[in-house]
Amino acid sequence: MNDSRRVEIEYCTQCRWLPRAAWLAQELLTTFETELTELALRPGKGGVFVVRVGDEVVWDRRDQGFPEPTAVKRAVRDRVAPGKPLGHSDGPAAPSP
């Protein structure tokens, strides 16, 4: 069953990426506290770090590197709550000094 409001973070246990996955999960649950139906942490192997919304992969470390939380928040927002403002996460990047 594809629940388009369910987020899954699959992380590599061999790489000890649980703290990173848990931190990202906390960020998403705080931002989308009423929009998400579930957020699951899924242990994996082989360097995996993948974020899915429903059945759709929205971030894969192998292709995109480790995500900044704001990038994942935007990807999740676009699927579960289009139009929801993300505050400073939506603003333009600050100019380099």
Side-chain angles (χ1 to χ4, degrees):
M1 178 173 88
N2 176 21
D3 182 348
S4 62
R5 296 185 313 140
R6 179 187 188 271
V7 172
E8 177 183 277
I9 302 171
E10 185 178 5
Y11 65 94
C12 179
T13 58
Q14 297 167 313
C15 301
R16 305 233 182 258
W17 287 339
L18 173 60
R20 183 183 298 254
W23 177 69
L24 184 57
Q26 177 182 325
E27 288 288 314
L28 293 173
L29 287 169
T30 300
T31 301
F32 302 104
E33 59 188 12
T34 60
E35 291 86 2
L36 298 180
T37 58
E38 180 179 4
L39 193 144
L41 296 176
R42 181 177 176 191
K45 293 184 179 180
V48 67
F49 197 91
V50 174
V51 180
R52 294 177 183 88
V53 176
D55 294 331
E56 180 184 1
V57 172
V58 298
W59 200 276
D60 188 332
R61 181 200 64 82
R62 289 188 178 123
D63 296 331
Q64 300 159 285
F66 276 111
E68 290 294 322
T70 55
V72 175
K73 286 179 184 182
R74 285 184 199 124
V76 170
R77 184 265 319 268
D78 292 348
R79 286 150 182 91
V80 303
K84 177 183 175 85
L86 295 177
H88 68 277
S89 297
D90 277 332
S96 299

